[in-house]
Amino acid sequence: MFTPTITVYYGSLINPTTLTSYETVTGCLIAVNAHGNIDWIIHDVKDSSIQETLLQKGLFDADVTIVPLQEGQFIMPGFVDTHTHAPQVPNTGTGYQSELLDWLENFTFPMEANFQDVDFAKKVYPSIIKKFIASGTTTCCYYGTLHLESNKVLTDIVHSLGQRALIGKCNMDRNCPSYYIEPSSSRSISDTQAFISYVRSLAPGPSNNPGNPLIYPVVTPRFAISCTNELLSSLKTLVHLDTRLHIQTHISENMKEVEYTKELYPDCEHYAGVYDSYGLLRNNTILAHAIWLQEKEIDLVKEREVGISHCPTSNFNLRSGIAPIGKYLDRGVKIGLGTDVSGGFSASMLVAMRNASIASTVVALQNNPTNAPIKEGKFANRQLPLATLLYLATKGGAEVCVLDQQIGSLEPGKSFDALIVDMSNISSTSKWPGDVDPALRKISTTTSSSRSSSRAILEGLLEKFVFCGDDRNVFAVFVQGKLIGGTSYA
Ligand SMILES: [Zn+2]
């Protein structure tokens, strides 16, 4: 009988569990089957007991490839970037003296218009997607441009590079420059339908697991301002007939945008109400930014089980504002993080985590400058702890994408979408001057028992990775069990 090959990773594991906790385990065995799914995970296995443990699992040498992690390395789930713009990456670090609407007109639309040229798309998209993968993003929600053919190119490239993704063709048929606008709502809809069919016709991915695609189409009205009522009505019909379809759009990013939206939709009570009136708010909708939501909008978002993509880097750069993420978490809203390139200046989710930390700190300083004890809620007006940042960047993002049964944490039955993080250069001092191996310090902040001390070391490595790390620390990137990036990937 054919026995599928199993790959067993052996080493330290850091895994998000809840919004306020994560597990740190040493001596972990993680068995990944030929389909790229996790069969089982066993904690606290000593070197000398590996073979015995494998035999107990009915595995013999011939069936198994063992991959031991090195000192200073750990496994964690890959990052889920819930909002970014692939065609804006060439503009990274450009135009941050502008606010949203001017920035779109002067920098963003001119860049995106280049993708009319399919050869341009073929030339620039490969390095862009490789950058996201190298940063440790295993699942990414991409906005494309309005162009059908270039979005197919983007899809082909993401597919060939093996990343899991949601990809959307922008719908935009008003309030856009003449050189970058769809000619009619009917054309916008027919191109959207063609794009959805194209994405769904792709081969399922490396797992060859039927019904388990790596790429999903996502309906992407750019934002309310750029869509006519006619277009939104047609999108309403489209998504109503197909509840599997993800939806992504922007909401309440900038005050001028909010005001203009109210002018365009005077019959709607608020911004979220515009999308709701067109049936676009549901459990597989991703709303980016959500900085200026009214109380009633927060209630509506929660009621519709919509996810919010928090994009703090972009919100700082374009002076859009600071989203009160702690408040949303207390209200039970699903939250993930987004890099929002090129409003954001980095494709790395580590940068999004850092800025989410700073954003929460600024909110806390504004509303509670004396750091007085807060009675209500766990998160509002407090700095987000490391556990929460980790959760939002992985499991929270998976919930926002409604893929949390499959990805976002490492558990039996889920896909092996994972990173091997390498912090071994923490002791080589070449990268972070003054850093020494914690074991060499005479006075340590760790406690005496070896178990809690190894936990403290792993927690320290995670914090260092989040606040000081970059793609040089991303040793391996796996999607559905397949190695697709990292410094070990030639
Ligand atoms: Zn955006």
Side-chain angles (χ1 to χ4, degrees), residues 83 85 250 288-289 340:
H83 182 78
H85 298 255
H250 297 97
H289 302 287
D340 193 29

Side-chain angles (χ1 to χ4, degrees), residues 79-81 137-141 163-166 401 403 407 417:
F79 293 124
V80 180
D81 185 343
T137 298
T138 48
T139 297
C140 198
C141 299
Q163 193 183 34
R164 196 183 302 277
L166 276 61
C401 299
L403 293 173
I407 58 162
D417 280 23

Side-chain angles (χ1 to χ4, degrees), residues 256-299:
K256 280 186 193 156
E257 168 217 359
V258 175
E259 285 308 310
Y260 191 25
T261 304
K262 280 182 187 162
E263 278 175 39
L264 291 174
Y265 299 90
D267 296 339
C268 293
E269 192 183 356
H270 40 59
Y271 199 156
V274 176
Y275 294 136
D276 195 47
S277 67
Y278 290 101
L280 296 171
L281 297 187
R282 59 190 197 189
N283 77 332
N284 51 6
T285 300
I286 304 166
L287 294 178
H289 302 287
I291 297 171
W292 303 106
L293 297 184
Q294 302 168 19
E295 292 298 318
K296 281 182 179 174
E297 293 181 286
I298 304 170
D299 291 339

Side-chain angles (χ1 to χ4, degrees), residues 84 86-87 89 124-135 137 140 142 153-163 165 167 347 484:
T84 204
V89 171
V124 303
Y125 273 144
S127 60
I128 288 169
I129 305 309
K130 283 177 190 168
K131 181 70 183 167
F132 282 97
I133 293 171
S135 303
T137 298
C140 198
Y142 291 111
V153 169
L154 171 61
T155 304
D156 289 344
I157 289 163
V158 174
H159 189 59
S160 68
L161 293 173
Q163 193 183 34
I167 303 178
I484 67 161

Side-chain angles (χ1 to χ4, degrees), residues 469-490:
D470 57 37
D471 52 10
R472 289 172 291 182
N473 301 102
V474 179
F475 181 74
V477 181
F478 300 93
V479 170
Q480 199 64 46
K482 186 183 174 192
L483 180 67
I484 67 161
T487 56
S488 63
Y489 183 75

Side-chain angles (χ1 to χ4, degrees), residues 83-85 88 100 103 143 222 249-250 253 288-289 311 314 340-343:
H83 182 78
T84 204
H85 298 255
Q88 291 178 23
L100 178 68
W103 173 80
Y143 261 62
R222 182 167 201 117
T249 190
H250 297 97
E253 176 175 359
H289 302 287
C311 306
S314 163
D340 193 29
V341 175
S342 67

